[in-house]
Amino acid sequence: GIPKVHVLKNRLLEIVPWCKIDAINEMFIGEHAERLLNGNPDYVIDCIDDVTTKAELISYCIKNNIPVITSMGAGGKADPTKIRIGTLHDCVKDPLASKMKWKLKKTHNINIENVPCIFSVEKPSINLLPLDEEQSENPEEFGTVDNFRIRVMPVLGTS
């Protein structure tokens, strides 16, 4: 497939063709933040799925006065009329947002009322499939990238 950073860039250029977009398809690591976010970006769009990495990016942007907007979980949601733009504080019915609120407040000392957010108020209609016996014994061996774990969400309501 095509990395989502490139899909988003292409879509945004269809909407605002005069916009300059630096789509960086690289794993964000807090210690590389200065290099990845150099050049005084006008805006950072966060679409990271991992809580720790997402929190590092948001925290760096807020603390360095770089405008950022974060997206919350879309998995298991299907109703585009439920999408909202607000702050992370406004985001409800979203397991990723709940984890992000805690992480940003407790480990990064970030006021979540200052974090712009795109989210859905729709409650997820399905859950992640549980790890099977082999995965449960060694979950660290089933990630494709360090610090990420593989979980499967049923597609279109299948189980």
Side-chain angles (χ1 to χ4, degrees):
I2 301 170
K4 65 182 169 183
V5 68
H6 297 304
V7 172
L8 180 58
K9 177 182 179 175
N10 292 339
R11 181 67 180 123
L12 288 172
L13 288 173
E14 289 175 6
I15 299 166
V16 284
W18 59 88
C19 188
K20 180 181 182 274
I21 300 170
D22 295 322
I24 302 170
N25 187 26
E26 181 177 333
M27 172 70 124
F28 181 85
I29 300 171
E31 61 198 42
H32 298 159
E34 190 172 331
R35 175 181 59 81
L36 290 169
L37 298 171
N38 72 3
N40 196 25
D42 292 322
Y43 230 93
V44 171
I45 301 172
D46 160 45
C47 300
I48 297 172
D49 298 321
D50 176 68
V51 173
T52 299
T53 310
K54 190 175 199 69
E56 287 178 348
L57 174 62
I58 294 168
S59 176
Y60 183 87
C61 288
I62 299 282
K63 290 177 179 176
N64 289 279
N65 298 313
I66 299 171
V68 61
I69 189 161
T70 184
S71 63
M72 289 300 112
K77 299 177 182 182
D79 185 350
T81 67
K82 303 284 186 185
I83 295 173
R84 305 288 186 267
I85 299 174
T87 68
L88 187 54
H89 176 76
D90 301 325
C91 186
V92 296
K93 299 181 184 176
D94 188 305
L96 176 59
S98 296
K99 292 174 187 171
M100 287 303 302
K101 290 174 184 182
W102 181 88
K103 186 85 164 171
L104 287 169
K105 284 194 266 187
K106 300 296 182 194
T107 64
H108 293 276
N109 197 30
I110 298 292
N111 179 354
I112 61 169
E113 292 183 15
N114 294 333
V115 180
C117 182
I118 298 171
F119 58 94
S120 172
V121 294
E122 181 180 7
K123 184 177 179 179
S125 58
I126 53 177
N127 295 316
L128 292 173
L129 292 175
L131 295 175
D132 65 25
E133 186 177 332
E134 181 184 9
Q135 293 168 334
S136 294
E137 291 173 8
N138 297 302
E140 69 281 352
E141 293 181 13
F142 291 91
T144 55
V145 179
D146 288 344
N147 301 317
F148 279 83
R149 63 188 175 123
I150 295 297
R151 295 292 296 272
V152 176
M153 181 163 284
V155 178
L156 301 174
T158 62
S159 58

